[in-house]
Amino acid sequence: MGATALQKDRDGLCFFGQISAAISHDLKNVLAIINEDAGLLQDFSLMAAQGMELDPQRLIKLAEKVQGQVKRGDGIIKNMNRFAHSVDLPVCDVDFRELTELVISLLTRMASRKCVTVTFKEGEQVHGKGDPFTIQMLMAKGLEYAMDSAGRDGELGIEVSSADSVNAVTISGLGETLPDEQLAELESIAVKAGSESAYVPQDNILIFKF
Amino acid sequence: MKILLVDDESELVSALAERLSFRGFDADWVCSGAEAIDKVKENEYDLAVLDVKMPRMSGLELRAELNKIRSGLKYIFLSGHGSEEDYTVGAAEAECYLVKPVKIEELVDKINLALGSK
């Protein structure tokens, strides 16, 4: 395997690892909350055994909290599964709207850490052919750099559109100018994803065309 | 003993505070570094339990800020990751470093140990 192919594999692995780490962090938090809610139930049981009165409403609220966390965990695992299966086929039908929403969900923790709000702008259904894993990597890297550019309390929008047989994913709301090395990296991933990336600093937007 | 718990997961930190209060601690909780700074300015805490990774201000950054306000405060760090890097940083910067999910008995032991009350 040549150096270029090795680097391509490593870029993909790094992205997979970055997303997996974020997912594992979220799941750890879900488990930690369920653990504490179960602990509270144990505490209440021990106190009841010692003659203290149990408030049924408190138990109902605790049960609802556990159910809420199970639902949250289920959503995280569903996203993880969709992301994991994105490597199944090198080229397949891609629902760009669905894929964009998935990338936004996968980057929720990053956005929270960087104090940036990412809003998906509802639009038309856009389908095309492509490598879903590499397209996700491109969108995620673009969003990451857009978050850095927008800065704390930044508000990014992301929109999917289609015109004249060209599908586009547009990230708006960027702030500071993207450095050349970030643009070069995005261009490199865009080539692998069969895409073209364009940065329009005067409009504060980043566009990926497929 | 007065303890402040800080974690951006409100359900987690509120439950932990309640469980610590059942065990005789006077435990407050907040969900951000900014709120923690306000609390420490207003109260005489003995120990702070800090989540390592929080938005806006990490546990390590918060510790540095809190030290400026109250130099004798003891710290325990909590993390969901438990990576080697986190552990090394946490162990060097705090009295103790625990990985979520935490066993309440272990947390109580570590608090008592940090405060020299056992």
Side-chain angles (χ1 to χ4, degrees):
Chain A
M1 189 183 283
T4 310
L6 273 174
Q7 186 56 43
K8 184 183 173 185
D9 276 359
R10 181 152 177 78
D11 290 345
L13 272 176
C14 286
F15 174 58
F16 206 91
Q18 181 189 20
I19 296 297
S20 302
I23 289 169
S24 73
H25 190 283
D26 283 343
L27 284 175
K28 273 273 198 177
N29 275 331
V30 168
L31 292 175
I33 293 167
I34 293 173
N35 184 59
E36 290 319 314
D37 287 340
L40 272 176
L41 281 173
Q42 282 177 329
D43 290 350
F44 291 151
S45 304
L46 286 172
M47 288 190 280
Q50 289 168 0
M52 283 182 72
E53 200 174 321
L54 262 180
D55 176 7
Q57 280 304 317
R58 203 58 228 281
L59 297 181
I60 290 168
K61 277 190 181 169
L62 262 180
E64 285 171 352
K65 277 185 171 185
V66 171
Q67 286 167 337
Q69 290 303 321
V70 169
K71 192 176 172 188
R72 177 185 171 191
D74 184 53
I76 294 167
I77 290 170
K78 272 183 186 155
N79 282 342
M80 182 176 79
N81 187 267
R82 284 166 67 197
F83 176 66
H85 279 295
S86 68
V87 297
D88 287 354
L89 292 169
V91 177
C92 63
D93 283 320
V94 173
D95 179 335
F96 280 92
R97 197 166 81 172
E98 193 182 282
L99 210 59
T100 305
E101 284 181 300
L102 177 60
V103 170
I104 293 170
S105 295
L106 294 172
L107 296 191
T108 301
R109 175 152 284 276
M110 180 191 286
S112 165
R113 209 178 62 239
K114 292 179 185 282
C115 306
V116 174
T117 308
V118 181
T119 307
F120 180 66
K121 296 180 179 173
E122 286 290 340
E124 57 196 311
Q125 284 278 358
V126 176
H127 288 269
K129 290 258 181 205
D131 169 5
F133 179 75
T134 313
I135 293 170
Q136 284 172 111
M137 186 159 73
L138 177 63
M139 289 198 279
K141 199 46 99 176
L143 262 178
E144 180 183 345
Y145 291 155
M147 286 178 202
D148 291 338
S149 164
R152 282 191 172 205
D153 300 317
E155 291 180 8
L156 295 174
I158 185 162
E159 176 172 28
V160 175
S161 59
S162 184
D164 302 326
S165 305
V166 177
N167 298 326
V169 175
T170 306
I171 303 171
S172 57
L174 280 74
E176 287 180 18
T177 307
L178 292 184
D180 288 343
E181 58 270 26
Q182 289 184 357
L183 292 173
E185 189 183 354
L186 289 174
E187 188 52 46
S188 161
I189 304 170
V191 169
K192 292 171 200 164
S195 164
E196 278 177 36
S197 82
Y199 172 47
V200 191
Q202 61 270 31
D203 294 333
N204 295 322
I205 59 171
L206 189 58
I207 308 171
F208 302 122
K209 290 180 182 170
F210 300 90
Chain B
M1 279 176 286
K2 202 162 172 62
I3 291 168
L4 178 66
L5 295 111
V6 191
D7 194 308
D8 58 317
E9 292 280 354
S10 63
E11 279 192 35
L12 173 67
V13 75
S14 61
L16 264 178
E18 189 168 9
R19 298 192 74 201
L20 285 176
S21 71
F22 292 155
R23 286 158 179 81
F25 296 98
D26 182 1
D28 288 337
W29 62 273
V30 291
C31 292
S32 69
E35 291 171 293
I37 289 168
D38 288 343
K39 279 277 187 189
V40 169
K41 281 178 181 167
E42 294 162 5
N43 296 277
E44 293 277 317
Y45 292 105
D46 300 295
L47 182 140
V49 180
L50 311 180
D51 183 25
V52 175
K53 293 197 170 153
M54 293 185 287
R56 295 188 182 271
M57 195 184 293
S58 74
L60 289 175
E61 289 167 337
L62 177 58
R63 180 186 187 270
E65 290 302 313
L66 296 183
N67 264 340
K68 292 177 194 167
I69 304 165
R70 200 169 143 73
S71 59
L73 195 60
K74 305 280 186 187
Y75 298 92
I76 289 176
F77 280 154
L78 296 183
S79 172
H81 283 295
S83 68
E84 197 167 331
E85 184 191 3
D86 277 355
Y87 186 81
T88 307
V89 172
E93 295 278 340
E95 273 62 49
C96 176
Y97 174 90
L98 295 173
V99 177
K100 298 174 191 172
V102 177
K103 285 185 180 160
I104 194 74
E105 295 78 14
E106 191 181 4
L107 179 59
V108 168
D109 282 349
K110 299 296 183 191
I111 291 171
N112 285 326
L113 200 67
L115 297 176
S117 50
K118 246 190 186 176

